[in-house]
Amino acid sequence: MATAAATRTSNRLEIAPLTINIGAEVSGIDLREDLSDDVIAEVRSALLAHKVIFFRDQDITEDQHIKFARRFGDLEIHPVTPKDQPHQEVFHLKTNPVFRPGSRVGADLWHSDVTWRAEPSLGSVLRARIMPEVGGDTMFADMVAAYEGLSPAMKEWLPTLTAVHDGSVFAALQGKSKESFWEEFPLQRHPVIRTHPETGARALYVNCSFTTHIEGLSDKESAWLLDHLYSQASRPEYQCRFRWKVNSIAFWDNRSCQHYAVADYYPAMRAMERVTVVGDKPYFDPAR
Ligand code: OGA
Ligand code: MN
């Protein structure tokens, strides 16, 4: 690795895909450096092409983590972040001490981050601080491939539909009622198929963590359709699985993929830090 102070101007990233559809390991970059606009553009294009990219051995400080993520846009502060935490932009995910085998620890359900916001995040930069010796992988699913794998009739129908998203599961973590959470973060309506603002690709944009229902359908129809779309997204052909080490970093595009933190490491500890880039309002563009 280059020294911490060097500025990288050449463009020499190596990109090794994990699967045909999703995931690539990126090497030849040191995230402690002051990276040039060219290198950032290369990282961005790898992110767009592979939906999630992975970096190894990045022993960065919280400041460097924040600085890197900020090159891709404004940063989000998660509402459950303690107000007295020094770096408000760093979201800490720790093994829940009440975790028991078979119970959920938090992110062990497919989702795209904060789809309950009006402008859900563009991307998340997650760094591993403490990892179990084995276990605690993260899975990623390609929502563009999941959309493309649908039948022509479904591809015609789904873009006409809107889904409702709810983040009030976080109310309890803040010691708040759902009603007061909704005052700050009202239920959001997003298209079931979203057009990626940078690539123009269509992606399936419902997830089983935050989507409550699809508008205009009966409860039974909505549950049936969501169930079908979730099982479509759960096909291994559309997925990759990342095996972390301490100081590995994953940077994913929340507009084109979902992720799932595999909760198979009890009673070991796992601690992660996420810095999240603000995105734009999801839309469907029939012309693209
Ligand atoms: C997240 C998340 C997955 C993991 O940071 O948004 O869902 O594997 N994390 O910790
Ligand atoms: Mn997440």
Side-chain angles (χ1 to χ4, degrees):
M1 268 193 195
T3 55
T7 300
R8 160 118 354 110
T9 49
S10 70
N11 108 9
R12 54 184 167 95
L13 299 187
E14 283 147 47
I15 296 168
L18 268 75
T19 75
I20 290 283
N21 285 320
I22 182 166
E25 204 160 311
V26 173
S27 50
I29 187 168
D30 181 343
L31 301 185
R32 295 172 302 181
E33 292 179 11
D34 220 351
L35 298 166
S36 70
D37 290 345
D38 284 355
V39 170
I40 293 296
E42 257 192 276
V43 171
R44 187 183 270 272
S45 78
L47 176 71
L48 294 178
H50 299 283
K51 289 120 185 163
V52 54
I53 52 179
F54 306 106
F55 306 96
R56 296 286 190 186
D57 302 317
Q58 302 289 340
D59 189 6
I60 54 174
T61 63
E62 289 193 14
D63 277 322
Q64 287 164 338
H65 190 168
I66 290 168
K67 199 168 162 204
F68 173 69
R70 213 192 294 280
R71 299 294 295 274
F72 299 89
D74 291 337
L75 302 181
E76 235 170 64
I77 296 173
H78 199 284
V80 306
T81 304
K83 298 279 179 277
D84 56 357
Q85 182 183 299
H87 289 109
Q88 286 285 294
E89 300 90 344
V90 180
F91 181 55
H92 291 268
L93 291 94
K94 289 206 187 81
T95 308
N96 186 329
V98 302
F99 174 47
R100 294 290 177 277
S103 76
R104 292 196 49 227
V105 285
D108 50 332
L109 198 58
W110 285 104
H111 64 286
S112 171
D113 290 325
V114 301
T115 63
W116 40 271
R117 283 185 187 268
E119 296 181 338
S121 53
L122 175 158
S124 303
V125 182
L126 185 67
R127 179 255 183 90
R129 280 278 186 194
I130 302 173
M131 284 306 289
E133 219 162 284
V134 64
D137 296 353
T138 306
M139 301 189 61
F140 296 87
D142 180 344
M143 292 299 109
V144 174
Y147 164 79
E148 283 169 359
L150 293 165
S151 66
M154 274 286 182
K155 284 184 188 161
E156 285 231 345
W157 182 41
L158 295 180
T160 67
L161 300 175
T162 298
V164 176
H165 296 248
D166 178 8
S168 63
V169 58
F170 291 108
L173 289 173
Q174 289 178 284
K176 277 188 174 176
S177 67
K178 282 182 180 274
E179 288 70 22
S180 65
F181 184 90
W182 286 325
E183 276 168 29
E184 198 180 347
F185 299 103
L187 297 177
Q188 292 298 326
R189 305 171 64 243
H190 296 312
V192 169
I193 305 299
R194 104 177 260 194
T195 304
H196 194 288
E198 294 182 80
T199 65
R202 295 181 177 185
L204 195 52
Y205 199 64
V206 287
N207 69 81
C208 58
S209 297
F210 305 127
T211 307
T212 59
H213 65 282
I214 296 177
E215 288 183 347
L217 302 183
S218 70
D219 288 354
K220 192 174 167 191
E221 288 166 340
S222 167
W224 161 80
L225 180 56
L226 286 172
D227 192 49
H228 172 66
L229 297 176
Y230 299 153
S231 78
Q232 171 69 3
S234 72
R235 290 193 56 167
E237 286 79 358
Y238 305 145
Q239 298 179 359
C240 71
R241 180 169 181 141
F242 185 59
R243 184 147 188 211
W244 297 88
K245 292 198 170 98
V246 169
N247 296 335
S248 298
I249 288 182
F251 182 6
W252 61 84
D253 185 341
N254 280 303
R255 304 161 300 182
S256 59
C257 75
Q258 293 191 23
H259 53 285
Y260 183 117
V262 179
D264 59 353
Y265 48 90
Y266 177 82
M269 274 299 294
R270 182 178 187 270
M272 315 294 278
E273 293 170 1
R274 180 179 104 194
V275 178
T276 314
V277 182
V278 174
D280 59 355
K281 188 170 167 53
Y283 60 88
F284 175 73
D285 178 355
R288 289 186 88 171

